[in-house]
Amino acid sequence: MVKNTYMRWRLPLVCLLWEVAMIVLFGVFVRFDPEADAHWKEEQLQKNLTSDIENDFYFRYPSFQDVHVMIFVGFGFLMTFLQRYGFGAVGFNFLLAAFGIQWALLMQGWFHSFENGKILIGVENLINADFCVGSVCIAFGAILGKTSPVQLLILTLFQVTLFAVNEYILVSLLHVKDAGGSMTIHTFGAYFGLTVTRILYRPNLEQSKDKQGSVYHSDLFAMIGTLYLWMYWPSFNSAVSNHGDAQHRAAINTYCSLASCVLTTVAFSSLLQKKGKLDMVHIQNATLAGGVAVGTGAEMMLTPYGSLIVGFLCGIVSTVGFVYLMPFLESKLHIQDTCGIHNLHAMPGFIGGIVGAVTAAAATEEVYGKEGLISAFDFTGDYKDRTPSVQGGFQAAGIFVSLAMALAGGAIVGAILKMPFLGDPADENCFEDDVYWEVPEDEESGLYHVHDPTLKPVTS
Amino acid sequence: MVKNTYMRWRLPLVCLLWEVAMIVLFGVFVRFDPEADAHWKEEQLQKNLTSDIENDFYFRYPSFQDVHVMIFVGFGFLMTFLQRYGFGAVGFNFLLAAFGIQWALLMQGWFHSFENGKILIGVENLINADFCVGSVCIAFGAILGKTSPVQLLILTLFQVTLFAVNEYILVSLLHVKDAGGSMTIHTFGAYFGLTVTRILYRPNLEQSKDKQGSVYHSDLFAMIGTLYLWMYWPSFNSAVSNHGDAQHRAAINTYCSLASCVLTTVAFSSLLQKKGKLDMVHIQNATLAGGVAVGTGAEMMLTPYGSLIVGFLCGIVSTVGFVYLMPFLESKLHIQDTCGIHNLHAMPGFIGGIVGAVTAAAATEEVYGKEGLISAFDFTGDYKDRTPSVQGGFQAAGIFVSLAMALAGGAIVGAILKMPFLGDPADENCFEDDVYWEVPEDEESGLYHVHDPTLKPVTS
Amino acid sequence: MVKNTYMRWRLPLVCLLWEVAMIVLFGVFVRFDPEADAHWKEEQLQKNLTSDIENDFYFRYPSFQDVHVMIFVGFGFLMTFLQRYGFGAVGFNFLLAAFGIQWALLMQGWFHSFENGKILIGVENLINADFCVGSVCIAFGAILGKTSPVQLLILTLFQVTLFAVNEYILVSLLHVKDAGGSMTIHTFGAYFGLTVTRILYRPNLEQSKDKQGSVYHSDLFAMIGTLYLWMYWPSFNSAVSNHGDAQHRAAINTYCSLASCVLTTVAFSSLLQKKGKLDMVHIQNATLAGGVAVGTGAEMMLTPYGSLIVGFLCGIVSTVGFVYLMPFLESKLHIQDTCGIHNLHAMPGFIGGIVGAVTAAAATEEVYGKEGLISAFDFTGDYKDRTPSVQGGFQAAGIFVSLAMALAGGAIVGAILKMPFLGDPADENCFEDDVYWEVPEDEESGLYHVHDPTLKPVTS
């Protein structure tokens, strides 16, 4: 069966209609947070309130920019490792994230920043929108190279919606702490993506086997993504934590966990190969597992050595996952996971949820101080009588809620994506930019970087 | 006619003499701003003034670094899309920007930071110098691949000078607001560059047609530039806004406009190609038009949905410009615009000026608050009686002043650059690094990445 | 003699054992700094102390992230210029830095942040750990392509140790100011690395001569490293300076020095080549010398024009070093310096030490203000009677202490690295990723980016 991958009407239609919808919804609902509104000046002057530097912008903007880089360059370039799918990796990631952040501002806004019929947005909303889209970028990793841009936009629409619902359940109903998103972003995003790719299983994907590998320079492009994710992860995990010590602590814990994770990844990458050589796939991915796994616990008193332990274990789990589990998932469970998100996000995210639950349950006034404990877990208002051990229980519940939402949501969305008119590529054209992109001639005419017309492939 | 592109005496002479001139002028004129001067400590202690965190450094330094990345990596890598001009793109951009920021510190300093015979520089001056050079990077985009480094340095000298004059007229004489530079940076820079490239028109440029395209990996390098420009644009437009809500608001508006712009760019890129495939040139460039077009209005109460609308339109205008207008400009008006700056900077910059004028004219005390309105437009001192609608008129005037300065200045500078001894390349050597750079052998000997000496081109 | 480069047991063993050691030592010693500890909230509330924004996190975190990028992307990608060693450059740099920062937190912590038996870490410790590892990255540049990952980890262990001792002597015993590390990082790191590579001299290294060059795209990857180092160097030199004017000033001075350096680098790169063409090696490296050379003086009242002069000279010194000194060092002194760290770090670092000593000696109350002078050089406590000229003397002493530590330490560590079982590559396999990495097939089978199976290597 020949697949129709012609995008000329479908893609523009979806992009334009949805963007118009965004404009209308923003027009009706979205306004500036008081700290970004011009009235702020007046309030300051009248009430002699605060210095400009107390504006939340200065607490969070540097972290926001780091997170922004992670979403667009980090995820985008991490996925350029495929030899013939660099445009799709970085370009489709750009597209879905640009749409996703708008829809996330609305969805998260309705749940968390809705006042008098308006969503009031400030820098923290921008970070949370980026976070939400991060979970879509993760899911994209599982189906990379096998879907059309229209499918990706539909995926984004639904996944952002479900993300916001799940986040609301966790953060608002269960009063769970998850500032770095081990549960809301990684566990949810990864299991969602894995379910979708399971539904979209392609039995004959080996027809494009030759394009599933990397080339030398595509691996270097991917390392740009890896390093930006790795370097800025301390910003990711601390970006929406409480001002002051919590942000400070979250950055330190994440820094430690990631450092430790690199060493066990290298160790196991070498150990699990007969020739003892390092595998770029592991270095590009498993080194990041330590950041995922302290997403919940980093802002707590996890301590630097606790973080090292978490990173240590996750480097191992993730690398072993790439070597042993991934082939098993593909052959037995029919889960074709292009980027190995099960190893980088699913397992470490799940571990991160548990680490957070245990750390919360173990919290004491001795370690946090009386006010520190209240502040760290926001034991105020309706929750002023909650104890750390109860909090630990709710944290654990949050993992399974995220998992359930991911599996159920992924199944439904996967089914929607199977609709035949969405333009997905044929099996033999997967992992191939040429399907959706104008590709420069050097690549189209035989894949080599040779521009001299007098040089030809020849038999001697 | 054989062109003499030998740079050995000309380029070093210009670099060394001009740098010596910079040293002398800095020695005579440039000192630290009080907030960067060691006396600040004394003032603080004596007068019990402010906390260290109130130093302007902490309000602006993170934005400064983002802007810095945009100028050097953003513009530099964006222009590496050409298959054989990566060294020139990133290297000459580096050279002209490094010279330009020094000269801009002086020129802008004389106009804006001159006190008691000294220019006092702080972090805001660094940002403004980067901004000024940004307009040169834009103009460089039009003549990319067709000029010698000596020509580029001369261009920089003159353009920075004219930029500072134009900026003085707008900001100081007309009291125009243009924090993100839709007029001063983009409109001025782009029309200046387009005029220069018109004057330098090469009728036989098709002789290097084969080098005007990209190769697969050069397009990925260019995406690095695109994404850094896109991600950090909120910092660009907010970097020199008023402390507090204005910076906050400018970042949010820019974020929204850029997100929207991506969707319409993708839509029209697909729509305007018969095969419906996406074109990397559009994704690399038109996605940024939304940032350009809110350069003036972002710090005003443009509102998030207003920003979405601006981004929506500019993605369309820019992409349509690439497809239809650019061939027209080249064939009919003889404007050879290598990077398509007319689509990315000229038209969106012009639109940005209008958006700013309309937003200013529409400002009310209801929307800004009484103090907020005064603060946002600096209606104090000589301008305390200016009304928003008058401000709108002056804003509109600023567009045309910038345009006039660009066209007149570009014509003069273009004529200067035509002087025969400046070392520009022959038509058949345009877009070719080999003219000014030592290029590794792999590329010189037939353009292929083949290092094995046993592999040879063969005739069948 | 055939070298055994099989890493399967050695590398994992070192990684795992050392990481376990880190966990144990962190468990015993490392805790959060009060500003990162949950008790901070309590102290604030009880004592009505300070605003959250006064937390050191907000003074230093943006600079920290910039420094972090310099270490991992800056140094990592700068070294990818070799055509066949990109994985090793960026991957081994990642590995050694990830281990090094942990060990540096301990070593520097024992010397500088040890209270009641615990090392208390905050954001400033993270920066200092990155700084320390920076000196290892520099040394790595000298031996790039010629060592195994096990050797690199051993090098890191010892060099970090010696760095911390040297830093303690300079900063604590001699009371030397060196916020940007001209002495502690660059002079020490570079002469250490040069001594190591001298000890590891390979007389037959020309056997891998064909791999010591770059290819077109590897030079572009390297420019990513260069530009991030260049752009973020103002953050590097200001990251641990005193709050307020000192950080502000350090950034400005560094910005100026680097800008100036680019022009003299370009001038001399062209001047010293017969064909007058620019050499990417110079642009990639010598443009950074200006940042190295104001590492000590940047936070002092070096002044913008003073910085321009330093940058001016260092661009020349560094480029001349690449053209004339480097071949001499290799042929006569048997110092095989892969990346030319002698030109980029050793000489400019030494100059930077002198610049700092002279600037300190020339300090006056008139220029700094009474309090400013005390604050800038920390003339308090035991040092309250120290004069600027005495300070200058101690600064100068710091250069030679660093040099002596580097030479002695490098000799010892070099000897240790000569042990035969550490897995270094044979001469003909140097600068070749294939030894330690799984390399994609396109590269293994003849080094060319050609995927068309009909094109084959031919025997002539």
Side-chain angles (χ1 to χ4, degrees):
Chain A
M1 191 188 76
V2 177
K3 296 264 191 177
N4 178 359
T5 58
Y6 188 67
M7 286 286 114
R8 192 171 178 192
W9 301 109
R10 286 175 281 189
L11 181 57
L13 207 69
V14 171
C15 286
L16 293 176
L17 279 184
W18 291 14
E19 190 56 48
V20 169
M22 290 299 113
I23 291 173
V24 172
L25 291 169
F26 269 59
V28 175
F29 289 110
V30 179
R31 297 295 179 272
F32 292 118
D33 181 276
E35 297 194 37
D37 191 288
H39 281 94
W40 199 61
K41 226 44 149 193
E42 192 163 55
E43 287 181 30
Q44 280 185 297
L45 286 165
Q46 287 176 354
K47 305 185 192 165
N48 198 16
L49 273 177
T50 52
S51 158
D52 280 327
I53 197 79
E54 298 277 352
N55 193 305
D56 197 38
F57 183 76
Y58 303 103
F59 286 93
R60 305 213 183 273
Y61 191 71
S63 309
F64 157 66
Q65 275 296 4
D66 294 350
V67 170
H68 216 39
V69 171
M70 292 173 74
I71 299 300
F72 289 88
V73 159
F75 282 111
F77 273 90
L78 180 60
M79 295 188 282
T80 59
F81 72 100
L82 291 172
Q83 60 188 260
R84 298 272 301 155
Y85 209 70
F87 293 5
V90 84
F92 292 155
N93 186 71
F94 192 16
L95 172 63
L96 69 84
F99 167 68
I101 53 179
Q102 298 176 60
W103 179 230
L105 282 175
L106 288 165
M107 281 302 305
Q108 295 179 315
W110 283 316
F111 280 123
H112 301 291
S113 314
F114 202 55
E115 288 179 35
N116 301 321
K118 299 294 173 199
I119 296 166
L120 304 182
I121 65 172
V123 64
E124 193 169 341
N125 299 69
L126 306 190
I127 298 172
N128 279 318
D130 272 26
F131 277 0
C132 175
V133 159
S135 86
V136 184
C137 300
I138 292 166
F140 179 33
I143 54 177
L144 183 74
K146 301 177 293 187
T147 43
S148 76
V150 170
Q151 286 180 302
L152 292 172
L153 284 169
I154 293 170
L155 175 91
T156 306
L157 180 74
F158 285 105
Q159 192 178 346
V160 166
T161 308
L162 292 165
F163 177 99
V165 172
N166 184 54
E167 186 187 40
Y168 175 72
I169 296 172
L170 265 67
V171 172
S172 297
L173 302 186
L174 304 179
H175 196 69
V176 155
K177 302 293 284 183
D178 193 21
S182 291
M183 295 176 279
T184 53
I185 302 169
H186 298 287
T187 303
F188 172 76
Y191 285 104
F192 185 94
L194 291 167
T195 312
V196 168
T197 199
R198 174 65 191 81
I199 305 283
L200 300 180
Y201 177 61
R202 288 169 179 264
N204 301 314
L205 193 57
E206 78 284 350
Q207 290 181 16
S208 52
K209 203 81 191 172
D210 56 316
K211 291 173 210 143
Q212 282 196 60
S214 61
V215 292
Y216 195 66
H217 281 166
S218 72
D219 269 326
L220 281 178
F221 279 114
M223 278 305 288
I224 297 174
T226 298
L227 287 175
Y228 274 98
L229 289 169
W230 194 90
M231 296 181 303
Y232 286 164
W233 216 295
S235 298
F236 192 94
N237 284 348
S238 66
V240 295
S241 291
N242 288 338
H243 292 172
D245 59 290
Q247 278 197 287
H248 202 153
R249 185 164 62 244
I252 297 170
N253 281 328
T254 309
Y255 178 95
C256 289
S257 178
L258 285 163
S260 171
C261 188
V262 174
L263 272 92
T264 51
T265 298
V266 168
F268 274 75
S269 182
S270 172
L271 199 62
L272 301 181
Q273 303 269 347
K274 268 191 196 153
K275 290 187 280 180
K277 295 185 183 182
L278 297 170
D279 190 326
M280 261 302 188
V281 172
H282 308 155
I283 307 301
Q284 283 159 7
N285 291 280
T287 51
L288 301 168
V292 174
V294 296
T296 306
E299 63 172 359
M300 303 176 189
M301 290 292 283
L302 181 57
T303 73
Y305 68 88
S307 304
L308 291 188
I309 294 171
V310 174
F312 187 95
L313 295 176
C314 284
I316 297 172
V317 166
S318 187
T319 310
V320 170
F322 272 103
V323 178
Y324 295 115
L325 218 52
M326 214 168 143
F328 171 83
L329 290 179
E330 175 150 5
S331 61
K332 302 296 175 194
L333 302 185
H334 291 176
I335 296 173
Q336 293 161 324
D337 176 6
T338 311
C339 295
I341 64 165
H342 185 259
N343 313 302
L344 170 48
H345 298 282
M347 292 190 294
F350 192 87
I351 293 171
I354 294 171
V355 167
V358 172
T359 311
T364 62
E365 278 194 15
E366 193 189 335
V367 171
Y368 287 74
K370 189 173 161 54
E371 299 296 336
L373 190 64
I374 292 168
S375 166
F377 295 98
D378 199 16
F379 287 156
T380 55
D382 291 351
Y383 305 98
K384 75 175 160 42
D385 296 326
R386 191 182 272 191
T387 62
S389 59
V390 171
Q391 178 69 24
F394 277 98
Q395 294 281 143
I399 309 171
F400 294 98
V401 171
S402 301
L403 202 55
M405 286 288 290
L407 297 175
I412 295 165
V413 174
I416 293 170
L417 296 185
K418 285 199 93 162
M419 291 189 301
F421 51 83
L422 300 180
D424 60 311
D427 291 341
E428 66 271 25
N429 290 330
C430 284
F431 317 114
E432 171 58 59
D433 272 332
D434 193 41
V435 180
Y436 304 112
W437 296 86
E438 295 284 331
V439 177
E441 274 190 18
D442 70 306
E443 293 290 327
E444 281 186 322
S445 63
L447 307 192
Y448 42 91
H449 293 245
V450 180
H451 314 295
D452 180 349
T454 67
L455 180 79
K456 297 175 189 165
V458 209
T459 51
S460 52
Chain B
M1 190 187 74
V2 177
K3 296 264 189 177
N4 178 0
T5 59
Y6 189 66
M7 286 286 114
R8 193 170 178 193
W9 301 111
R10 286 176 281 189
L11 180 59
L13 206 70
V14 171
C15 286
L16 294 175
L17 279 183
W18 291 14
E19 190 55 49
V20 169
M22 290 299 112
I23 292 174
V24 172
L25 290 168
F26 269 60
V28 174
F29 289 109
V30 180
R31 298 294 180 272
F32 291 117
D33 180 276
E35 296 193 38
D37 191 288
H39 282 95
W40 199 61
K41 226 45 151 191
E42 193 163 54
E43 286 180 31
Q44 280 186 296
L45 287 164
Q46 286 177 354
K47 305 185 192 167
N48 198 17
L49 272 179
T50 53
S51 158
D52 279 327
I53 197 78
E54 298 277 352
N55 194 304
D56 197 39
F57 183 77
Y58 303 103
F59 285 93
R60 305 213 182 274
Y61 190 72
S63 310
F64 158 65
Q65 275 295 4
D66 295 348
V67 171
H68 217 39
V69 171
M70 291 173 73
I71 300 299
F72 290 88
V73 160
F75 282 111
F77 273 90
L78 180 59
M79 296 188 281
T80 59
F81 72 100
L82 291 172
Q83 62 189 259
R84 297 273 300 154
Y85 209 71
F87 293 5
V90 83
F92 292 155
N93 186 71
F94 193 15
L95 171 63
L96 70 85
F99 167 68
I101 53 179
Q102 299 177 60
W103 180 230
L105 282 175
L106 288 165
M107 280 302 305
Q108 296 178 314
W110 282 317
F111 280 121
H112 301 292
S113 314
F114 201 55
E115 289 180 32
N116 301 321
K118 299 293 173 198
I119 296 165
L120 304 182
I121 65 172
V123 64
E124 193 171 339
N125 299 69
L126 305 190
I127 298 170
N128 279 317
D130 272 27
F131 276 1
C132 176
V133 159
S135 85
V136 185
C137 300
I138 291 166
F140 179 34
I143 53 176
L144 183 75
K146 301 176 293 186
T147 42
S148 76
V150 170
Q151 286 179 302
L152 292 173
L153 284 169
I154 293 170
L155 175 91
T156 306
L157 181 74
F158 285 105
Q159 193 178 348
V160 166
T161 308
L162 291 166
F163 178 99
V165 172
N166 184 54
E167 185 187 41
Y168 175 73
I169 295 172
L170 265 67
V171 173
S172 298
L173 302 187
L174 303 180
H175 194 70
V176 156
K177 301 294 283 184
D178 193 21
S182 291
M183 293 176 279
T184 54
I185 301 169
H186 299 287
T187 303
F188 172 77
Y191 284 104
F192 185 94
L194 291 167
T195 312
V196 168
T197 198
R198 173 65 191 80
I199 306 283
L200 300 180
Y201 177 61
R202 289 169 179 263
N204 301 314
L205 193 58
E206 77 285 350
Q207 291 182 17
S208 52
K209 204 82 191 171
D210 57 315
K211 291 172 210 144
Q212 283 195 59
S214 62
V215 291
Y216 195 66
H217 281 165
S218 73
D219 269 326
L220 281 178
F221 279 114
M223 278 305 288
I224 297 174
T226 298
L227 287 175
Y228 274 98
L229 289 169
W230 194 90
M231 296 180 303
Y232 286 164
W233 216 295
S235 298
F236 192 92
N237 284 348
S238 66
V240 296
S241 291
N242 287 338
H243 292 172
D245 59 290
Q247 279 197 287
H248 202 154
R249 186 165 59 243
I252 296 170
N253 280 329
T254 310
Y255 177 94
C256 290
S257 178
L258 286 163
S260 170
C261 189
V262 173
L263 272 92
T264 51
T265 298
V266 168
F268 274 75
S269 183
S270 173
L271 198 61
L272 300 181
Q273 303 269 348
K274 271 193 193 150
K275 290 188 282 180
K277 295 185 182 183
L278 298 170
D279 189 326
M280 262 300 189
V281 171
H282 308 156
I283 308 301
Q284 284 158 7
N285 291 280
T287 52
L288 300 168
V292 173
V294 296
T296 306
E299 63 173 359
M300 303 176 191
M301 289 292 282
L302 181 57
T303 73
Y305 68 88
S307 304
L308 291 188
I309 294 171
V310 174
F312 187 94
L313 295 176
C314 285
I316 296 172
V317 166
S318 189
T319 309
V320 169
F322 272 103
V323 177
Y324 295 115
L325 218 51
M326 215 169 142
F328 172 82
L329 290 180
E330 175 150 3
S331 61
K332 302 297 176 194
L333 302 185
H334 292 178
I335 296 173
Q336 294 161 323
D337 176 7
T338 311
C339 295
I341 63 165
H342 185 258
N343 315 302
L344 170 47
H345 299 281
M347 291 190 294
F350 192 87
I351 293 171
I354 294 170
V355 168
V358 171
T359 312
T364 62
E365 278 194 15
E366 194 190 333
V367 171
Y368 288 74
K370 191 173 160 56
E371 299 296 337
L373 189 65
I374 292 169
S375 166
F377 296 98
D378 201 16
F379 287 156
T380 56
D382 292 350
Y383 305 98
K384 75 175 158 47
D385 296 327
R386 192 181 271 191
T387 61
S389 59
V390 172
Q391 178 69 24
F394 277 99
Q395 295 282 142
I399 307 171
F400 295 97
V401 172
S402 300
L403 201 57
M405 287 287 290
L407 297 176
I412 296 165
V413 174
I416 293 170
L417 296 185
K418 284 199 94 161
M419 293 189 299
F421 50 85
L422 299 179
D424 60 310
D427 290 340
E428 67 270 25
N429 289 330
C430 284
F431 317 113
E432 171 58 63
D433 273 332
D434 193 41
V435 181
Y436 305 111
W437 296 85
E438 296 282 332
V439 177
E441 274 188 21
D442 71 306
E443 292 291 326
E444 280 184 322
S445 63
L447 309 192
Y448 43 90
H449 294 245
V450 180
H451 315 295
D452 181 349
T454 67
L455 181 79
K456 296 176 190 163
V458 204
T459 52
S460 52
Chain C
M1 191 188 74
V2 176
K3 296 264 190 177
N4 177 1
T5 59
Y6 189 67
M7 286 286 114
R8 191 170 178 194
W9 302 110
R10 286 175 282 188
L11 180 58
L13 206 70
V14 172
C15 286
L16 294 175
L17 279 184
W18 291 13
E19 191 55 49
V20 168
M22 289 300 112
I23 291 172
V24 172
L25 290 168
F26 269 59
V28 175
F29 289 110
V30 179
R31 297 295 180 271
F32 292 118
D33 180 276
E35 296 194 37
D37 191 288
H39 281 95
W40 199 62
K41 227 43 153 192
E42 191 162 55
E43 286 182 32
Q44 279 185 294
L45 286 165
Q46 287 175 355
K47 303 183 193 168
N48 197 16
L49 270 180
T50 53
S51 157
D52 280 327
I53 197 78
E54 298 277 351
N55 193 304
D56 198 37
F57 183 76
Y58 303 103
F59 285 93
R60 305 212 183 274
Y61 189 72
S63 309
F64 158 65
Q65 275 295 3
D66 293 349
V67 171
H68 216 39
V69 171
M70 292 173 73
I71 300 300
F72 290 88
V73 159
F75 281 112
F77 273 90
L78 180 60
M79 295 188 281
T80 58
F81 72 100
L82 291 172
Q83 61 189 260
R84 299 272 302 154
Y85 209 69
F87 294 5
V90 83
F92 292 156
N93 186 70
F94 193 16
L95 171 63
L96 70 83
F99 167 68
I101 53 179
Q102 298 177 60
W103 180 228
L105 281 176
L106 288 165
M107 281 301 305
Q108 295 179 315
W110 283 316
F111 280 122
H112 301 293
S113 313
F114 202 55
E115 288 179 35
N116 301 321
K118 299 294 174 201
I119 296 166
L120 304 182
I121 65 171
V123 65
E124 194 171 340
N125 298 68
L126 306 190
I127 298 171
N128 279 316
D130 271 27
F131 276 1
C132 174
V133 159
S135 86
V136 185
C137 300
I138 292 166
F140 178 35
I143 55 178
L144 183 74
K146 301 177 293 187
T147 43
S148 76
V150 170
Q151 286 180 300
L152 292 173
L153 284 169
I154 294 171
L155 175 91
T156 305
L157 180 74
F158 284 105
Q159 192 178 347
V160 166
T161 309
L162 291 166
F163 177 99
V165 172
N166 184 53
E167 185 187 42
Y168 175 73
I169 296 173
L170 265 66
V171 173
S172 298
L173 302 186
L174 303 180
H175 195 68
V176 155
K177 301 292 285 183
D178 193 20
S182 290
M183 294 177 278
T184 53
I185 301 169
H186 299 287
T187 304
F188 171 78
Y191 285 104
F192 185 95
L194 292 167
T195 312
V196 168
T197 199
R198 174 64 192 82
I199 306 283
L200 300 180
Y201 177 61
R202 289 169 178 264
N204 300 316
L205 193 58
E206 78 284 352
Q207 290 182 17
S208 51
K209 202 82 192 171
D210 57 317
K211 290 173 212 143
Q212 283 195 59
S214 60
V215 291
Y216 195 66
H217 281 165
S218 73
D219 269 325
L220 281 178
F221 280 115
M223 278 306 289
I224 297 173
T226 298
L227 287 175
Y228 274 98
L229 288 168
W230 194 90
M231 295 179 304
Y232 286 164
W233 216 295
S235 297
F236 193 93
N237 284 348
S238 67
V240 296
S241 291
N242 288 338
H243 292 172
D245 60 291
Q247 278 196 287
H248 201 154
R249 186 164 60 243
I252 296 169
N253 281 328
T254 309
Y255 177 94
C256 289
S257 178
L258 285 163
S260 171
C261 188
V262 174
L263 271 92
T264 51
T265 298
V266 168
F268 274 74
S269 182
S270 172
L271 198 62
L272 301 180
Q273 302 269 346
K274 270 193 195 151
K275 289 188 280 180
K277 295 186 185 182
L278 297 171
D279 190 327
M280 262 301 190
V281 171
H282 308 156
I283 308 301
Q284 284 158 6
N285 290 279
T287 51
L288 301 168
V292 174
V294 295
T296 306
E299 63 172 0
M300 303 176 190
M301 289 291 283
L302 180 56
T303 73
Y305 68 88
S307 304
L308 290 188
I309 294 171
V310 173
F312 187 95
L313 295 176
C314 283
I316 298 172
V317 165
S318 188
T319 309
V320 169
F322 272 102
V323 177
Y324 295 117
L325 218 53
M326 214 168 142
F328 171 83
L329 290 178
E330 174 148 5
S331 61
K332 302 298 175 194
L333 302 184
H334 291 176
I335 296 173
Q336 294 161 324
D337 177 6
T338 311
C339 296
I341 64 164
H342 185 258
N343 314 302
L344 170 48
H345 298 283
M347 292 190 294
F350 192 87
I351 293 171
I354 294 170
V355 167
V358 172
T359 310
T364 62
E365 278 193 16
E366 193 191 333
V367 171
Y368 287 75
K370 191 173 160 57
E371 298 297 336
L373 190 65
I374 293 168
S375 167
F377 296 99
D378 200 15
F379 287 155
T380 55
D382 291 351
Y383 305 98
K384 76 174 158 46
D385 296 327
R386 191 181 273 190
T387 62
S389 59
V390 172
Q391 178 68 23
F394 277 98
Q395 295 281 142
I399 308 171
F400 295 97
V401 172
S402 301
L403 202 56
M405 287 287 290
L407 297 175
I412 295 165
V413 173
I416 294 170
L417 296 185
K418 286 199 93 162
M419 292 189 301
F421 51 84
L422 300 180
D424 60 310
D427 291 339
E428 67 271 24
N429 290 330
C430 284
F431 316 114
E432 171 59 62
D433 272 332
D434 192 41
V435 181
Y436 304 112
W437 296 86
E438 295 283 332
V439 177
E441 274 189 21
D442 70 307
E443 293 292 326
E444 279 185 323
S445 63
L447 309 192
Y448 41 91
H449 293 246
V450 181
H451 314 296
D452 180 348
T454 66
L455 180 78
K456 295 175 191 163
V458 206
T459 50
S460 49

